[in-house]
Amino acid sequence: MGLDFLFDNLRNPALLFFFLGMFAVWVKSDLKIPANSSKFITLYLLFSIGFKGGQELSHSSITPQIIWALLFGIGLSVVVPIYCFTLLLGRFGAYNAGAIAASYGSVSAVTFVTAVSFLEMMQLPFGGHMVAVMSVMEAPAIVVGVLLMAWFGQGESQANVPCWSVVKHALTNGSVLMILGSLLIGYLATDTQAEGIRPFTTDLFKGFLVLFLLDMGINSGRRLGTFFENGWFATLFAIGVPVLNGCVTAYLSAWVTDVEGERLLFAMLAASASYIAVPATMKWVAPKANPSLYIPMALAVTFPFNITLGMPLYLYLIQ
C-alpha cells in the first residue's frame, strides 16, 4: 500500500462531496440540505447498515470469537473515556472534559458506515457481528463520562442524574435505537424477505452516503471557526488521540480476530468520536458543557481526518 492507495481514497466521490460542503461554507454559498432531509438520510444509513449487519449475523452462530469481539468493544468504550478525561481535566474542567471524553470513548455510526463502504470497495470481508459491536460501544462511554463529571464536578446538581436514567437515555437515543432495532429485524428476517427490500437497503446506500457527507461537510465548515477559538490543544487532541486509539487498537485487535476487515472496523471505532448520541445526552445531563467545543472536535476535525488519512493508515498497519 503506497501513495497511490492514499490518492485513490482521497478521490472517492463521497469524500470529495464532504470537501465540497466545506468549500460551500468557505465561499458563503447558500448550498444546504434541509434539516428534515438530513435527518431522514441519517436514519436511512443507520437502518441500512443495521439491517444488513443483522442479516450477516443470522447466517452465523454465536461463537466465542463473537463474544470476545463484543467484550473487546465494550472494554474500549470504558478505557478510552477514562484516560481522555485524565488528559483533559486540568485544561477544560470537569464538565467539558467529561463531554469530550464521552465523545471519544463513544463511536460515530457514520464513520463506521463510511468504513464499511471502504471495505466493500476494497473487497475485504468482515462479519455482521461488527454492527453489534458498534451498537454496544455507544452507551458505556456516555455513562462513564457522566459518572466522571459527577465525581470531579464537586457535586453540582446538573451532574446528579441517576445512572439508570443516563443509560436509558443513551439506549433510547434515536440513532442508537434505529441501528439496534434494524440489527434485530435484519437478524429475524428470512433471506427471501430481505431480498424484497434489497434495492432500498443496498442499491441506494452509496448515493445517500454521498449526500450525507455533503451535509457533514457543510456542518463541519460552519463550526470550524468556533473550534479554533479554543486553541491549539483541542486541535492536537482531536487528531492525536484518534491516531493513538486507532493504531493501538489496530495492533491489539489481532488478539480478537485475524480478519483484516474486522480489525480495521475496530480501529475506526476506537478512533472515531460521537457527534450525535453524546451531544443529545450532554444537552440533557450536563448543560454546562460547551457544545461549541466537543462537537467541532468530533465533527470538524476527527471525522474528516479518520475518513481521509486515518482509514488507510490503520489498514496499512494491519496489513
Side-chain angles (χ1 to χ4, degrees):
M1 183 187 305
L3 289 177
D4 290 342
F5 176 84
L6 175 60
F7 291 144
D8 285 343
N9 189 42
L10 292 175
R11 289 197 298 266
N12 187 310
L15 301 184
L16 293 177
F17 271 96
F18 176 85
F19 292 128
L20 175 62
M22 298 191 73
F23 178 77
V25 174
W26 183 60
V27 298
K28 296 181 172 57
S29 169
D30 61 354
L31 175 65
K32 66 178 181 180
I33 294 179
N36 288 337
S37 299
S38 177
K39 186 173 182 179
F40 167 76
I41 294 170
T42 302
L43 291 176
Y44 166 78
L45 293 175
L46 296 174
F47 149 73
S48 178
I49 196 67
F51 187 86
K52 289 189 292 185
Q55 277 284 288
E56 292 293 330
L57 193 59
S58 68
H59 296 150
S60 60
S61 58
I62 303 300
T63 63
Q65 181 179 348
I66 292 178
I67 295 174
W68 278 114
L70 292 170
L71 293 176
F72 183 67
I74 294 172
L76 287 173
S77 66
V78 172
V79 171
V80 170
I82 292 175
Y83 96 78
C84 286
F85 185 85
T86 303
L87 295 175
L88 295 163
L89 179 61
R91 184 173 293 268
F92 293 121
Y95 295 104
N96 283 329
I100 297 170
S103 298
Y104 282 84
S106 188
V107 296
S108 164
V110 179
T111 302
F112 181 84
V113 169
T114 307
V116 167
S117 178
F118 174 78
L119 289 175
E120 291 175 347
M121 179 185 69
M122 297 294 296
Q123 298 182 337
L124 292 173
F126 60 92
H129 65 278
M130 292 303 299
V131 180
V133 172
M134 183 204 67
S135 301
V136 300
M137 290 179 67
E138 190 92 59
I142 296 175
V143 174
V144 170
V146 173
L147 291 178
L148 289 171
M149 290 182 201
W151 185 266
F152 290 92
Q154 301 178 352
E156 294 184 24
S157 59
Q158 65 170 338
N160 294 331
V161 179
C163 183
W164 66 266
S165 188
V166 174
V167 175
K168 178 178 180 294
H169 187 77
L171 292 177
T172 56
N173 176 273
S175 61
V176 178
L177 188 61
M178 171 59 84
I179 199 158
L180 285 175
S182 299
L183 178 71
L184 177 61
I185 293 170
Y187 181 80
L188 296 176
T190 65
D191 290 344
T192 303
Q193 293 167 336
E195 187 65 27
I197 59 172
R198 178 180 175 83
F200 186 67
T201 58
T202 303
D203 297 345
L204 298 177
F205 180 82
K206 290 185 178 179
F208 275 108
L209 178 62
V210 164
L211 290 176
F212 185 85
L213 288 178
L214 172 65
D215 188 41
M216 288 294 97
I218 295 171
N219 289 330
S220 297
R222 289 172 179 168
R223 297 180 184 273
L224 275 176
T226 304
F227 167 74
F228 286 126
E229 293 175 1
N230 290 285
W232 60 267
F233 183 82
T235 306
L236 291 180
F237 184 93
I239 295 176
V241 165
V243 170
L244 177 63
N245 292 344
C247 291
V248 171
T249 303
Y251 172 75
L252 294 180
S253 60
W255 295 357
V256 180
T257 177
D258 58 357
V259 179
E260 290 183 357
E262 294 174 6
R263 291 179 64 187
L264 178 63
L265 289 178
F266 271 123
M268 290 297 288
L269 288 172
S272 70
S274 172
Y275 48 81
I276 299 176
V278 169
T281 304
M282 293 304 155
K283 183 178 180 181
W284 175 59
V285 301
K288 193 174 180 180
N290 183 7
S292 67
L293 177 61
Y294 60 85
I295 294 178
M297 287 177 69
L299 179 59
V301 181
T302 300
F303 174 70
F305 174 83
N306 276 328
I307 63 174
T308 55
L309 301 177
M311 200 152 39
L313 170 63
Y314 309 142
L315 184 57
Y316 175 78
L317 293 176
I318 289 168
Q319 293 182 333

